[in-house]
Amino acid sequence: MRTFLIISLFFKLLNSQINTNNYSFLFPKSNLEIKYHDEWGSGNYKYEINNFKKNPLKLNQIVFLGNSITAEGGDWGERLNYSNIRNRGISGDVSDGVMARINEIIYFKSKAVFLLIGINDLWNFSPDTPSSEYIGENIIKIAEKIKIGSPKTKVYIQTILPTSRKIYKIRIEKINNMIKSKSSKYDYAVIDLHSYFVNQSGLIKEELTTDGIHLNSNGYKLWADIVKPFVANHQKYF
C-alpha cells in the first residue's frame, strides 16, 4: 500500500509539473530582448514573466495590464471588490514588452483587459525616442491583437497619465489623442484617466502622486473609483 501511495504521489507531482510547463509557450522566451527596456526593466521583466509562468491566468478573468503604475496597485480584486481580477503589471515595462506577452491573455479568453502603458517608452531613453506615433500605434496594436485572438474580450485602453515633467506633456497628449481617435476603428473602449489626474498646467496633480509619476493612495483610490463602473458591467453581464 505504501509503495502504491508513493507511486501515486509521484505521478501527481509529475502531472502537475507537466501542466505547468504546458503553458510556457504562452510567455516570452527568457532570451528575448525588448528594444526600449532599460537595463533594470529588462531584468525585472524576465523575473516577473517567470513568476507569471508559475501562476498563469485562468479562463474568463479580468486583467489589469501595464507597467509599475498598474503593478503597484497590488490586488485590484480587493480594490474593486471583485475576486476575478488579475494584476499583470510589470515595473519598467514598455509597449513592446506588453505586446510580447499578450498570448496569455488571448489563450485564457480574458473577460476584459484594462491596459495602461506608454510612460516608460517616453522615459527610458531620449524625449524623442521612440516617437509618439510609434508608441501610440503600439498601444493600438496591442488592443487589435487581443481582439483578433479573443474577439469576446472587452479591451479598455486607459489614457497615459500626466507626469510632473513638462518635457513629456505634449507627447503624452499626442499619444492620448491617437488612442481616442481610433477607438471605433479598432474596437476598444477608452477610459480617459488623464483628464482626472491632470491639473491646469497639464501636469499631474501633486496630491495624487509620490514622485511625479507613480501614484499614492489618493491616486489609486481615484483610479479605482473611475474604473469601478466598467468592472461592474462585467460582473453583471458576463
Side-chain angles (χ1 to χ4, degrees):
M1 176 64 72
R2 184 181 179 187
T3 302
F4 173 79
L5 290 174
I6 292 172
I7 294 171
S8 177
L9 178 60
F10 170 78
F11 278 106
K12 283 183 179 179
L13 291 172
L14 180 61
N15 286 334
S16 175
Q17 185 65 38
I18 290 171
N19 289 338
T20 299
N21 289 340
N22 278 346
Y23 293 124
S24 294
F25 71 95
L26 298 175
F27 299 92
K29 294 182 179 179
S30 59
N31 62 353
L32 178 67
E33 296 296 332
I34 303 297
K35 185 175 182 180
Y36 292 112
H37 274 159
D38 62 13
E39 184 177 357
W40 183 89
S42 178
N44 189 60
Y45 184 85
K46 294 172 183 177
Y47 173 81
E48 294 294 355
I49 291 296
N50 190 50
N51 287 335
F52 294 163
K53 286 181 181 179
K54 296 174 185 176
N55 189 19
L57 298 175
K58 297 178 181 179
L59 286 170
N60 299 317
Q61 293 183 312
I62 292 174
V63 179
F64 276 66
L65 179 63
N67 51 39
S68 60
I69 302 174
T70 295
E72 291 174 10
D75 188 342
W76 282 96
E78 183 177 342
R79 287 185 180 278
L80 297 167
N81 194 30
Y82 185 44
S83 61
N84 201 31
I85 299 178
R86 299 289 293 276
N87 191 330
R88 281 297 187 255
I90 296 182
S91 296
D93 205 6
V94 294
S95 58
D96 282 316
V98 170
M99 183 86 72
R101 59 187 177 94
I102 59 175
N103 285 338
E104 183 194 19
I105 289 169
I106 293 170
Y107 182 86
F108 287 105
K109 307 300 180 187
S110 300
K111 277 187 182 181
V113 175
F114 290 79
L115 172 66
L116 176 60
I117 196 68
I119 194 59
N120 288 324
D121 297 65
L122 294 170
W123 201 278
N124 284 349
F125 290 88
S126 76
D128 299 313
T129 305
S131 68
S132 300
E133 290 78 11
Y134 180 92
I135 300 167
E137 288 172 3
N138 252 11
I139 294 170
I140 293 166
K141 284 177 184 176
I142 292 167
E144 182 182 18
K145 188 173 180 180
I146 291 173
K147 292 297 293 185
I148 290 171
S150 180
K152 291 185 178 180
T153 299
K154 182 67 176 181
V155 179
Y156 298 93
I157 298 182
Q158 301 165 106
T159 52
I160 299 175
L161 297 175
T163 74
S164 62
R165 298 183 64 177
K166 293 180 180 179
I167 192 170
Y168 298 113
K169 174 184 169 182
I170 300 301
R171 296 193 67 204
I172 289 173
E173 291 174 355
K174 187 172 183 179
I175 295 167
N176 286 342
N177 286 336
M178 287 179 64
I179 292 168
K180 293 174 188 177
S181 67
K182 297 186 178 183
S183 61
S184 58
K185 180 178 179 180
Y186 291 99
D187 193 22
Y188 59 83
V190 176
I191 301 176
D192 191 8
L193 294 183
H194 184 277
S195 64
Y196 291 89
F197 283 80
V198 70
N199 64 22
Q200 292 182 345
S201 300
L203 307 177
I204 193 167
K205 294 176 181 176
E206 292 182 4
E207 65 270 22
L208 301 176
T209 182
T210 58
D211 57 4
I213 182 170
H214 297 96
L215 303 181
N216 59 23
S217 59
N218 292 329
Y220 280 109
K221 183 181 184 306
L222 175 59
W223 187 357
D225 287 343
I226 294 166
V227 299
K228 272 179 184 176
F230 299 95
V231 171
N233 284 338
H234 294 283
Q235 289 177 269
K236 184 175 180 181
Y237 297 113
F238 286 77

